[in-house]
Amino acid sequence: MLDALQWFVDLGAIVVLPILIFVFGMILGTKPSKAFTSALTVGVGFVGLNLVIDLLSTSLGPAAQAMVERFGLNLTTIDVGWPAAAAISYGTVLGSLAIPIGVLLNVVLIILGLTKTLNVDIWNFWHGAFIASLIYALTGNFAMGIAATVVYMMMILLFGDILGPIVKKFYGFPNITFPHGTAAPGFIFAILMNWLFDRIPGIKNWKADPETIQKRFGIFGDSTVMGFLIGLVIGLFAGYDVAGVGQLAVKTGAVMVLMPKMVALLMEGLTPISEAANEFVKKRFPERELYIGMDAALSVGHPAVLSSSLLLVPITILLAVILPGNTTLPFGDLATIPFLVCLMAAVFAGNIVRTVIAGSIYMVSILYITSWVAPLVTMSAKAANFDLQGNSSITALAEGGLWTTWLYIGLTKILSWGGLAIIGGVVLVGMIYVNKILPKRQAAQNK
């Protein structure tokens, strides 16, 4: 059974996602022709989205690496990036159990009414496998690793439930949410930062969303031109020649144009299924709603996200240079920064200034946490027979440095099983409140 599930997942996102969407549509009573068309459109949209993300990674990644080399950074821990972290996570028996545990747990929690999120983004369950692998590296306790997987999966579904209304309001995606291990923690961090910004004179009244910036600065505020100019600056910092700078600038401008179009195509296929899901639930459970959990890549295409992310690349490299005690050399995950801040932009209503300031503070914490957790990441990599390529210490910026990683590892290190019990208890209470208590209160207020 486990081998069959792994074979299915190994088909790849562009195959697995349309199959799941088609099956889900059929279960919801959608006509086979409409379900097939929607599923295929989602697959095509996902291919397009991946192509644009790859364009961003292959153009921005080398430029960021050139900046690192140009600044002569000599740090001892190498950021190997999320693909390596995912390979490490799934490279152990414990990690391979994350997908069946996540799927089964999701179904049970939906039946019990403790989550609204049906997470079809199963290949990103590696985030839970990553945490479990680090817990096992820390404790040597397999059962504790399984418990960490369960608690983490519950937490990410709770984040999805909380995110649903925000996703609909800011991105305009009905019944869609992003229970994504890299993006969701940034959303929680941004809520705290937004509260702080609202109390700082000057910043609290400063409107800096893409529309306002375009009105103020004309052509220079256009998202495509902004992408071009930011790419230009990054190319200069990287020490590129004229051709290199020009090509990078045009490519970053192209990403600003193409990414929203690919997201729109994907949503064209997904919307009929999400509407059918909503109708299905309303007929049988009038007081409940259902969100489809998707990859946060859908949110990366917003101009505020892309502009902020591009600005944060040189800022992150600068922070790595000046922060005392940091040992992490940003490398593999510099091009993944959009996923770290994509849901921050939703909290800040697209305010680029707030997103960049909060993102910079967030990157400070990420650099310190990812340096702190590096020994466990390195230990897990060795257990998974991962090729360290001669490096004595490795980490992954976009997962190893998140506050959720610090929370799980820190509390488990101090309290052992008690740490996981505390996190699990808080998550369970949160699920009950968000899915049981809060809807009743809102229904009473609307009467």
Side-chain angles (χ1 to χ4, degrees), residues 374-386:
L376 294 179
V377 176
T378 306
M379 195 182 302
S380 298
K382 291 177 179 178
N385 296 316
F386 181 79

Side-chain angles (χ1 to χ4, degrees), residues 176-314:
I176 301 295
T177 190
F178 304 124
H180 191 276
T182 299
F187 167 77
I188 303 298
F189 182 85
I191 291 174
L192 300 175
M193 291 302 301
N194 203 44
W195 179 89
L196 179 63
F197 289 150
D198 284 342
R199 284 154 181 79
I200 299 176
I203 293 181
K204 68 177 182 179
N205 297 321
W206 196 350
K207 291 186 177 181
D209 57 274
E211 294 78 13
T212 302
I213 289 175
Q214 186 166 0
K215 287 179 182 177
R216 288 181 179 177
F217 299 101
I219 187 175
F220 295 104
D222 179 82
S223 59
T224 308
V225 177
M226 284 178 64
F228 175 85
L229 293 175
I230 294 171
L232 200 71
V233 173
I234 291 175
L236 292 172
F237 280 155
Y240 282 1
D241 58 19
V242 175
V245 171
Q247 289 175 14
L248 178 61
V250 173
K251 286 178 180 178
T252 51
V255 168
M256 299 289 282
V257 175
L258 297 174
M259 188 82 81
K261 294 184 183 300
M262 293 303 103
V263 171
L265 179 61
L266 199 153
M267 285 306 301
E268 182 183 322
L270 198 57
T271 299
I273 303 300
S274 67
E275 290 174 350
N278 196 37
E279 289 300 317
F280 181 88
V281 173
K282 279 185 177 180
K283 281 183 181 179
R284 290 158 180 80
F285 310 100
E287 74 285 356
R288 292 176 63 180
E289 58 183 330
L290 186 70
Y291 300 133
I292 300 176
M294 294 290 292
D295 193 321
L298 280 173
S299 65
V300 170
H302 195 281
V305 175
L306 290 171
S307 300
S308 303
S309 303
L310 292 172
L311 289 168
L312 281 167
V313 170

Side-chain angles (χ1 to χ4, degrees), residues 358-378:
S360 299
I361 296 170
Y362 194 41
M363 292 311 301
V364 170
S365 71
I366 285 174
L367 285 167
Y368 277 127
I369 294 171
T370 201
S371 299
W372 172 72
V373 83
L376 294 179
V377 176
T378 306

Side-chain angles (χ1 to χ4, degrees), residues 413-432:
K413 190 173 184 178
I414 297 170
L415 301 173
S416 186
W417 279 100
L420 288 178
I422 290 172
I423 300 171
V426 171
V427 169
L428 182 58
V429 169
M431 285 184 146
I432 293 171

Side-chain angles (χ1 to χ4, degrees), residues 75 315-328 360-361 363-368 371:
L75 299 166
I315 290 173
T316 300
I317 295 172
L318 176 62
L319 289 172
V321 175
I322 65 175
L323 287 177
N326 169 60
T327 64
T328 296
S360 299
I361 296 170
M363 292 311 301
V364 170
S365 71
I366 285 174
L367 285 167
Y368 277 127
S371 299

Side-chain angles (χ1 to χ4, degrees), residues 115-133:
T115 185
K116 304 181 186 74
T117 301
L118 176 65
N119 193 2
V120 300
D121 187 26
I122 59 175
W123 45 88
N124 272 318
F125 284 11
W126 74 265
H127 298 282
F130 181 83
I131 294 295
S133 298

